[in-house]
Amino acid sequence: MLALALSTSTAFAAGKAPAAPAAQARATELVGRFAPSREQVRSLPGGITLRIAAGSIIERRRPIRLPLGSASAPKTPTHVVQLVSGRVTASAPKTARPTIALLVNAPRKVSAVIASGRGEVVVRPESVSVGALDGEMLTAVKDHWRKLPEGQARSIEGSGATSQRAILRAPTFNRAQSVIVAPSDGSGSVEFDWSAVPSAVSYAVSVTAEDDDAAIREFNVTSTNATVEGLRPGSYALSVAAVDRFGLNGKGSTTNIRALGLVLPAGARQLGNAIELDRRQRIHFTDPKGLEVTYGNATAFTRAPRDIGLIGGAATLVRVRTAGETDELKLRLLPVEVHAGISLVTGAKGWPREAGKLRIAFRDGQGRLLARAPDTAVDVSVNRLPVKLQWQRRGGILEGTLPARGGWGPYSVGVRVKDKSGAEIGREVLRIAANDRAKRSVAKRTVKGKRR
């Protein structure tokens, strides 16, 4: 049994403890009472870091000094917080002789000291639990102090019953992509799963961005898989920990993913990991640093360039991975397949006796009408003589008026459509037979003329 003498320290209370290390610079200091709506990371002088779960209520109290070493050793400056409800995970520099410590007071007269490593305290209406996640802790119920070995947890229930057990082991990831596509609109998503942990009642999932110490997503699931959506380009850490019946997290597993941002050229279209683009267009990576690429079935990877495109204008498989990793993201670059269907629409009299509409309908490789007609060059000829038409765009359709013509024919209307790269995407020759009525009428006039 370890007895702790609590005494205040004016010097430490005045803020003369060692400065926090640079790694905690992005965490903000805990002041007074705090009740975050999302997970927050707070720092205390000397290198103590608090990860406070969403919905928790925590209060900072006056610092003290505790005799954590031998009887002759100097007392250790100790921060004090009161956890009213929720969860707090605390970290202290892991050393053989602590220079800083944290005392967490909780309901049911439960206390815990974290002086080296990482520990967790959970306050629920029916119980209070303490877990030594990394390193040894000190815990007390009604001032009866005991050591809590690393990997052990202690709980006191509403009935007063106290139990000690091993904390739950870390889940093992079965599948998790290391690189995913994340469009700039923030619609990136990743699916992952892990092995079941005996005695777990749920699993705590959290997502932390590279530039943010606190989780940007945190939720609990009862299954052994999860999907995280709404990811923007960047680097993230996915963490999963098994949760026991007291609400205490076990050891966590973490995997890193890279959400690759792509900037598509005008007119390109993305369908999952397949991207359609013109033969001369390029796709830009928002941040290729730390990535490698190769093409097709090649085994040699090289540093990722700023942009990629079709090789030889043909369908191209691009494989992307984080340098040193084996998991790959496969991007399929496909040349845009646009087909121009050409038709002549006329009234009851028909062309050439009345004007007709030349209609060009643009469809993709699956035969679906495009939402917008692409920029194209259209050449029209009548009996091989060029004709200029004024075109109107209506969704994926172009229409131009072909003026009426006299005479009896026959006529041949040629239409040739090219995309902006000069590739032909449609050609049609419409043949209009001679008009018998028109022939007889002209012949009559000719005969009369001869009689005169």
Side-chain angles (χ1 to χ4, degrees), residues 79-303:
H79 295 284
V80 181
V81 296
Q82 177 74 34
L83 181 61
V84 179
S85 63
R87 175 197 318 275
V88 63
T89 307
S91 299
K94 198 168 184 181
T95 59
R97 298 186 64 176
T99 58
I100 194 73
L102 173 72
L103 170 63
V104 181
N105 292 321
R108 305 186 192 281
K109 297 184 179 181
V110 174
S111 299
V113 174
I114 300 100
S116 177
R118 188 164 59 95
E120 185 169 271
V121 182
V122 177
V123 174
R124 306 176 83 180
E126 67 279 7
S127 63
V128 177
S129 300
V130 177
L133 302 176
D134 181 17
E136 186 181 82
M137 292 176 60
L138 291 169
T139 63
V141 178
K142 298 180 180 178
D143 290 331
H144 296 291
W145 288 91
R146 295 169 58 189
K147 290 183 179 180
L148 184 63
E150 179 177 344
Q152 291 288 303
R154 189 170 293 146
S155 299
I156 180 168
E157 301 182 61
S159 62
T162 301
S163 60
Q164 184 167 322
R165 66 200 179 280
I167 64 173
L168 299 182
R169 64 171 175 82
T172 300
F173 283 105
N174 296 328
R175 177 176 55 86
Q177 296 171 267
S178 62
V179 183
I180 64 168
V181 174
S184 56
D185 63 359
S187 59
S189 64
V190 61
E191 298 179 6
F192 55 103
D193 60 86
W194 55 88
S195 60
V197 176
S199 301
V201 297
S202 66
Y203 297 89
V205 180
S206 66
V207 184
T208 306
E210 184 179 45
D211 57 353
D212 192 347
D213 288 321
I216 59 171
R217 302 275 195 286
E218 52 179 342
F219 53 92
N220 277 57
V221 295
T222 55
S223 61
T224 57
N225 59 79
T227 299
V228 177
E229 300 178 332
L231 297 179
R232 295 186 176 276
S235 296
Y236 300 89
L238 305 180
S239 298
V240 177
V243 183
D244 66 18
R245 69 183 185 90
F246 295 100
L248 192 71
N249 287 352
K251 293 185 177 181
S253 292
T254 300
T255 186
N256 296 318
I257 64 164
R258 177 75 172 274
L260 177 61
L262 303 178
V263 179
L264 303 186
R269 186 172 59 159
Q270 180 175 346
L271 299 171
N273 287 357
I275 302 172
E276 291 183 345
L277 68 162
D278 287 343
R279 290 168 173 80
R280 298 180 183 178
Q281 290 182 321
R282 309 284 291 178
I283 297 170
H284 292 265
F285 293 148
T286 57
D287 181 15
K289 184 178 179 181
L291 296 177
E292 299 175 331
V293 301
T294 193
Y295 300 88
N297 296 320
T299 57
F301 282 78
T302 59
R303 187 171 61 181

Side-chain angles (χ1 to χ4, degrees), residues 19-27 213:
Q24 307 300 336
R26 284 179 293 189
D213 288 321

